[in-house]
Amino acid sequence: MASKKWTQNDLPDLSGRTVVVTGASSGIGLVTARELCAHGARVILAVRDVEKGRAVAKDFVGSFEVRALNLADLESIRSFAAEWTGDLDVLINNAGIMMAPAFRTIDGFELHLGTNHLGPFALTNRLLPFITDRVVTVSSILHRRGMIHLDDLHFDSRPYVAMTAYQDSKLANLLFTLELQRRLTESGSAVRAVAAHPGIARTNLVAHVRGVNGFVNSLSQHLCNDAQKGALPTLFAATQDIPGGSYVGPNGIGHLRGYPIVHATSRRATDTAMARRLWDVSADLTDTGH
Ligand SMILES: NC(=O)c1ccc[n+]([C@@H]2O[C@H](COP(=O)([O-])OP(=O)(O)OC[C@H]3O[C@@H](n4cnc5c(N)ncnc54)[C@H](OP(=O)(O)O)[C@@H]3O)[C@@H](O)[C@H]2O)c1
């Protein structure tokens, strides 16, 4: 499906719909939450820093709430979901970190895997009984360089490389979407699992990137999308009538920038056997999704 120049101005009236956006305190999540809110949705900004969330949303027009959610803490995810009542039309798994130094979540997971994959995995499974329309998970073109080491997910044996950890977690996002869609279809559910990526967008994501990588990153960011445009694939994936399992990203050269279209996923991201195995391991680690 192509949409040459789809923008936030093409969003439908979202009155009556409820959307959770994780990581809505910055970058792509902030723009996503603001636009959905401006088009009539009731938006829950699920953020790890509630004061920051309230501050960034102070100029939002529409209906919104700010709630605490730390994706690097399974207990925080459990309590966020335990407080949920009523229908949730769309869950947007947007929050993420990139190239952080070696660190463990409170539950002992490598920080990228924990924050970018296992946290959203647990959140989605806990909220799934309430979800009526779809789950959108934000991945990255860098997933193409990712690899899932099921025998060493937390870098216990391999030397820690921050970029590798990020890439692997973004591949996990797509494998998760694939397997979630398979399970939804199998159970006869009409809920869709879709994925999006922003190309490259100027946000706070590269706060940890230093040295040559940092220089290349900041240069490329100035040649690529801003956060407003980087949010378009997510907004498209969250609101347009696209098939479950779709992967939405920018239409420009190398999919680095441009307007949202559905495009093909990589071979690694369509490895159904790996998607199943990763699901099983993630279910054991988070005690959700069994
Ligand atoms: N920007 C790009 O070029 C690019 C490219 C490919 C993919 N992506 C993906 O796009 C998504 C959004 O990133 P962004 O570029 O908008 O980066 P960003 O500006 O750094 O925003 C990331 C958001 O995630 C939140 N977050 C981080 N750790 C969290 C945790 N433990 N619990 C809850 N929230 C947490 C941050 O909260 P705080 O505000 O408290 O820090 C922030 O709101 C990520 O999944 C990223 O992988 C971005």
Side-chain angles (χ1 to χ4, degrees), residues 3-14 27-41 225-240 248 258-261:
S3 78
K4 278 257 183 278
K5 287 199 171 176
W6 190 94
T7 73
Q8 68 276 3
N9 298 329
D10 298 308
L11 281 167
D13 177 11
L14 298 169
I28 291 158
L30 170 56
V31 174
T32 301
R34 191 182 60 220
E35 294 298 341
L36 294 173
C37 197
H39 285 81
N225 283 329
D226 56 16
Q228 184 71 33
K229 222 154 166 208
L232 292 179
T234 304
L235 289 167
F236 187 95
T239 60
Q240 300 303 293
V248 181
Y259 297 91
I261 55 165

Side-chain angles (χ1 to χ4, degrees), residues 23 25-26 28 48 52 70-71 94 139 166 170 199 201 203-204:
S25 51
S26 172
I28 291 158
R48 62 178 168 178
K52 183 177 178 184
N70 181 359
L71 286 159
N94 160 80
S139 181
Y166 178 72
K170 291 286 121 180
T203 66
N204 290 326

Side-chain angles (χ1 to χ4, degrees), residues 21-31 46-50 52-53 56 68-73 76-77 93-98 105 111 114-116 120 137-143 166 169-170 173 196-208 217 220-221 224-227 230 234 256:
V21 183
T22 71
S25 51
S26 172
I28 291 158
L30 170 56
V31 174
V47 298
R48 62 178 168 178
D49 180 341
V50 170
K52 183 177 178 184
V56 300
L69 173 69
N70 181 359
L71 286 159
D73 179 355
S76 170
I77 294 165
N93 290 316
N94 160 80
I97 54 155
M98 179 184 182
T105 69
L111 192 61
T115 309
N116 297 357
T137 301
V138 181
S139 181
S140 163
I141 40 176
L142 289 173
H143 85 269
Y166 178 72
S169 72
K170 291 286 121 180
N173 289 155
H197 79 90
I200 300 184
R202 287 188 297 282
T203 66
N204 290 326
L205 193 67
V206 290
H208 293 286
N217 254 307
S220 63
Q221 288 211 343
C224 297
N225 283 329
D226 56 16
T234 304
L256 293 179

Side-chain angles (χ1 to χ4, degrees), residues 16 25 34 69 73 86 91 124 143 151 158 176 183 216 244 252 272:
S25 51
R34 191 182 60 220
L69 173 69
D73 179 355
L91 167 63
T124 304
H143 85 269
D151 55 346
R158 295 175 283 162
F176 163 64
R183 286 169 177 251
V216 171
T272 50

Side-chain angles (χ1 to χ4, degrees), residues 254-277:
H255 300 151
L256 293 179
R257 61 183 295 175
Y259 297 91
I261 55 165
V262 174
H263 48 74
T265 40
S266 65
R267 199 164 45 82
R268 282 183 195 182
T270 48
D271 181 342
T272 50
M274 178 55 85
R276 284 179 204 209
R277 291 167 70 203

